[in-house]
Amino acid sequence: MINDEYFLAALRLASGNDPVPGHVSAAARDAFGLRVPGAVTAAPAECAAPGGVRDGQGSHLVRFVTAGLTFDLEVTIGDGLIDVAGHVFPYPGEGAVIDVRTPHLTLSRRIANTGDFAATGLPPGWLSVVCHRPGHQPVQTRWVRIRP
Amino acid sequence: MRDPAELLVAAAEGDRSAWDELESRFGPRMWAVARACGLSPSDAADAVQGAWLRLLQHFHTIREPAAVGGWLMTTVRREALLMLRKQRPGVTSLEIVEEPDPESAVLEADGRRLLWKTVSTLHEPCRSLLQLVAIDLGNQQMAARLGLPVGSVGPTKARCLEKLRTLISAQETAQ
């Protein structure tokens, strides 16, 4: 069953009305710069609610897991920006670096020997974290959308 | 011109021009899918960007590289539906499926040609009305252009879309 909205979208597309905005195309092209060659992707853990759990204080708690590495992210939205307090375990070792990434801004952080890291003042939207460990493939979390 | 499977493999290996070509080929339709799901322009932009970001992480796991277009349409539609569901408490899922999305077939190039061809076979006022709908003319302007009372534009539009749906379904069944 095809609904009317699909017909209307197809008619608009064919007529050239409602074309994809230039900034949307540009963002899609720029996204290629976020490719991490050879990375392993950590999926949201089944025990966590997909898309995150709100803890009642405006924070999203999200867990991502892959073989050998788990990320817990607490994402807080305030004043239109997002802060990330993260924990990666087991401790990935000396020299490991975390990149907290959005399409517009990447912040690199050293990891404390407790496995904790933090990044603040990120723009809302899509977010992913990558762990670079010497001698290992990078591990990236699946992209998650964070909006107020 | 490279086919979609070649573009996907090249992009996975770091060829930026292949990525740009994928965007040129599929970006407009992804936008139409997001908008067809009822998203605002800003949410549609997020859904489209999300689908591209997912592709970056699925270069090597897409089962049918030749069908990357269908994968992108399904993914953007799924992101769009997740956004809509998040506005209401309910079930959400981050699972990505690779099955082709039958509803977006009408947004494919062939589907659009078939759609316009079918519109052109409709009698008036449906033929003109659907052409005006396509350019988002408001009901008042449409009424003036078609010589109809304003109050009858909505019901007439519904009848015309129903006729179009019947004809398209009949053609799809015949194929």
Side-chain angles (χ1 to χ4, degrees), chain A residues 95-133:
Chain A
V97 173
I98 288 277
D99 286 339
V100 183
R101 309 181 304 161
T102 70
H104 301 292
L105 179 67
T106 293
L107 298 175
S108 296
R109 296 286 183 261
R110 293 267 168 210
I111 306 167
N113 55 17
T114 54
D116 293 335
F117 61 91
T120 58
L122 292 152
W126 293 98
L127 176 88
S128 168
V129 169
V130 187
C131 180
H132 300 275
R133 297 173 290 173

XYZ file of all heavy atoms in Angstrom, chain A residues 95-133:
292
model
N 48.458 5.594 25.961
C 48.554 6.033 24.563
C 47.238 5.981 23.815
O 47.159 6.415 22.662
N 46.191 5.452 24.440
C 44.890 5.417 23.760
C 44.275 6.819 23.754
O 44.451 7.592 24.703
C 43.958 4.433 24.456
N 43.589 7.126 22.669
C 42.962 8.447 22.520
C 41.510 8.244 22.114
O 41.186 7.354 21.324
C 43.700 9.278 21.433
C 42.956 10.575 21.142
C 45.132 9.583 21.871
N 40.647 9.089 22.681
C 39.227 9.071 22.320
C 38.926 10.302 21.465
O 39.317 11.415 21.827
C 38.343 9.121 23.586
C 38.391 7.798 24.348
C 36.916 9.516 23.252
C 37.467 6.722 23.846
N 38.252 10.086 20.345
C 37.712 11.208 19.575
C 36.205 11.248 19.800
O 35.514 10.255 19.527
C 37.959 11.020 18.067
C 39.410 11.253 17.677
O 40.138 11.919 18.434
O 39.807 10.762 16.600
N 35.723 12.377 20.320
C 34.277 12.577 20.435
C 33.890 13.421 19.222
O 34.354 14.556 19.079
C 33.907 13.282 21.750
C 32.395 13.415 21.884
C 34.472 12.509 22.946
N 33.064 12.838 18.350
C 32.860 13.458 17.042
C 31.414 13.863 16.785
O 30.486 13.142 17.148
C 33.270 12.488 15.931
C 34.646 11.899 16.118
C 34.996 10.979 14.988
N 34.018 9.910 14.811
C 33.888 9.196 13.699
N 34.647 9.443 12.650
N 33.015 8.236 13.628
N 31.260 15.011 16.170
C 29.992 15.383 15.543
C 30.365 15.743 14.107
O 31.560 15.910 13.805
C 29.338 16.609 16.224
O 30.122 17.761 15.916
C 29.252 16.426 17.735
N 29.380 15.865 13.215
C 29.757 16.227 11.839
C 30.521 17.548 11.747
O 31.261 17.774 10.805
C 28.405 16.295 11.125
C 27.567 15.306 11.864
C 27.969 15.473 13.305
N 30.354 18.424 12.735
C 30.994 19.740 12.637
C 32.207 19.922 13.531
O 32.953 20.885 13.379
C 29.976 20.840 12.966
C 28.797 20.827 12.060
N 28.882 21.154 10.728
C 27.516 20.483 12.288
C 27.693 21.018 10.166
N 26.849 20.608 11.094
N 32.387 19.032 14.487
C 33.459 19.247 15.461
C 33.909 17.917 16.050
O 33.077 17.090 16.433
C 32.934 20.159 16.589
C 33.890 20.494 17.735
C 35.046 21.364 17.234
C 33.139 21.240 18.855
N 35.237 17.726 16.100
C 35.788 16.544 16.764
C 36.705 17.007 17.883
O 37.567 17.868 17.679
C 36.593 15.679 15.769
O 35.693 15.134 14.794
C 37.292 14.523 16.476
N 36.491 16.450 19.083
C 37.365 16.771 20.215
C 38.122 15.505 20.609
O 37.520 14.456 20.824
C 36.531 17.277 21.399
C 35.735 18.570 21.147
C 34.852 18.901 22.356
C 36.675 19.737 20.850
N 39.452 15.601 20.684
C 40.271 14.440 21.062
C 40.616 14.528 22.541
O 40.953 15.603 23.042
C 41.556 14.414 20.227
O 41.225 14.225 18.869
N 40.534 13.393 23.197
C 40.784 13.358 24.641
C 41.659 12.159 25.014
O 41.472 11.059 24.485
C 39.444 13.226 25.406
C 38.518 14.420 25.237
C 39.033 15.611 26.037
N 38.158 16.770 25.966
C 38.347 17.815 25.150
N 39.377 17.834 24.318
N 37.522 18.837 25.178
N 42.593 12.394 25.942
C 43.316 11.280 26.570
C 42.360 10.599 27.534
O 41.441 11.236 28.069
C 44.536 11.802 27.334
C 45.606 12.376 26.424
C 46.640 11.315 26.076
N 47.499 11.777 24.982
C 48.062 10.978 24.102
N 47.878 9.673 24.152
N 48.845 11.463 23.166
N 42.585 9.340 27.785
C 41.690 8.601 28.679
C 42.384 8.448 30.035
O 43.544 8.003 30.103
C 41.385 7.210 28.103
C 40.854 7.355 26.674
C 40.377 6.466 28.982
C 40.821 6.055 25.909
N 41.653 8.812 31.089
C 42.211 8.638 32.438
C 42.394 7.141 32.713
O 41.740 6.307 32.063
C 41.251 9.242 33.462
N 43.262 6.798 33.656
C 43.486 5.364 33.892
C 42.287 4.664 34.538
O 42.276 3.452 34.708
C 44.766 5.113 34.692
C 44.770 5.891 35.986
O 43.716 6.354 36.411
N 45.936 6.035 36.604
N 41.266 5.464 34.826
C 39.989 4.868 35.257
C 39.116 4.519 34.054
O 38.054 3.912 34.205
C 39.209 5.875 36.118
O 39.090 7.090 35.355
C 39.926 6.182 37.422
N 39.533 4.958 32.852
C 38.721 4.742 31.652
C 37.763 5.894 31.375
O 36.987 5.843 30.427
N 37.836 6.951 32.193
C 36.900 8.069 32.016
C 37.445 9.106 31.023
O 38.657 9.303 30.903
C 36.660 8.767 33.369
C 35.925 7.875 34.350
O 35.198 6.971 33.888
O 36.089 8.080 35.571
N 36.509 9.761 30.379
C 36.862 10.884 29.498
C 35.659 11.820 29.435
O 34.531 11.427 29.806
C 37.249 10.403 28.098
C 36.157 9.669 27.377
C 35.261 10.340 26.559
C 36.010 8.294 27.526
C 34.249 9.653 25.904
C 35.002 7.603 26.877
C 34.119 8.282 26.059
N 35.877 13.051 28.991
C 34.769 14.015 28.912
C 35.027 15.012 27.790
O 36.178 15.312 27.452
C 34.611 14.754 30.243
N 33.955 15.489 27.218
C 34.041 16.538 26.193
C 32.814 17.432 26.360
O 31.715 16.928 26.616
C 34.074 15.931 24.797
N 32.993 18.718 26.231
C 31.868 19.637 26.444
C 31.719 20.600 25.273
O 32.648 20.798 24.482
C 32.079 20.477 27.726
O 33.313 21.200 27.593
C 32.153 19.597 28.961
N 30.518 21.169 25.188
C 30.271 22.230 24.208
C 30.153 21.749 22.777
O 30.509 22.476 21.847
N 29.615 20.537 22.597
C 29.458 20.013 21.239
C 28.101 20.431 20.659
O 27.118 20.535 21.404
C 29.557 18.484 21.254
C 30.943 17.936 21.606
C 30.822 16.565 22.263
C 31.810 17.856 20.356
N 28.050 20.636 19.347
C 26.753 21.002 18.759
C 25.804 19.800 18.753
O 26.251 18.666 18.584
C 27.127 21.412 17.323
C 28.433 20.773 17.045
C 29.138 20.609 18.367
N 24.503 20.024 18.964
C 23.550 18.917 18.940
C 23.452 18.312 17.541
O 23.757 18.976 16.547
C 22.220 19.559 19.325
C 22.483 20.973 19.586
C 23.870 21.316 19.190
N 23.020 17.081 17.503
C 22.901 16.376 16.226
C 23.511 14.996 16.366
O 23.392 14.363 17.413
N 24.180 14.548 15.330
C 24.759 13.200 15.338
C 26.069 13.171 16.114
O 26.880 14.098 16.019
C 24.969 12.722 13.903
C 23.660 12.512 13.207
C 23.033 13.370 12.355
C 22.783 11.382 13.346
N 21.821 12.849 11.948
C 21.648 11.634 12.535
C 22.847 10.188 14.074
C 20.588 10.722 12.431
C 21.798 9.289 13.972
C 20.681 9.560 13.162
N 26.262 12.087 16.856
C 27.434 11.957 17.732
C 27.981 10.529 17.644
O 27.220 9.561 17.610
C 27.005 12.250 19.178
C 28.073 12.074 20.245
C 28.870 13.370 20.412
C 27.454 11.705 21.595
N 29.305 10.438 17.634
C 29.963 9.122 17.670
C 31.292 9.280 18.392
O 31.891 10.355 18.384
C 30.177 8.609 16.241
O 31.032 7.490 16.228
N 31.736 8.218 19.014
C 33.004 8.229 19.738
C 33.912 7.164 19.124
O 33.452 6.075 18.790
C 32.739 7.932 21.241
C 34.031 7.660 21.979
C 31.995 9.097 21.878
N 35.182 7.518 18.936
C 36.151 6.560 18.395
C 37.288 6.387 19.392
O 37.808 7.376 19.924
C 36.761 7.048 17.058
C 37.622 5.954 16.431
C 35.694 7.496 16.086
N 37.665 5.140 19.633
C 38.810 4.866 20.506
C 39.970 4.372 19.652
O 39.838 3.365 18.943
C 38.424 3.816 21.550
S 39.786 3.426 22.681
N 41.061 5.122 19.670
C 42.275 4.727 18.949
C 43.247 4.119 19.953
O 43.594 4.774 20.949
C 42.919 5.952 18.286
C 42.037 6.647 17.304
N 41.920 6.266 15.990
C 41.210 7.717 17.459
C 41.063 7.070 15.357
N 40.625 7.957 16.232
N 43.652 2.893 19.714
C 44.603 2.210 20.617
C 45.818 1.810 19.807
O 45.670 1.204 18.731
C 43.972 0.951 21.204
C 42.766 1.204 22.077
C 42.094 -0.096 22.474
N 41.442 -0.740 21.330
C 40.900 -1.946 21.346
N 40.930 -2.653 22.451
N 40.328 -2.451 20.270
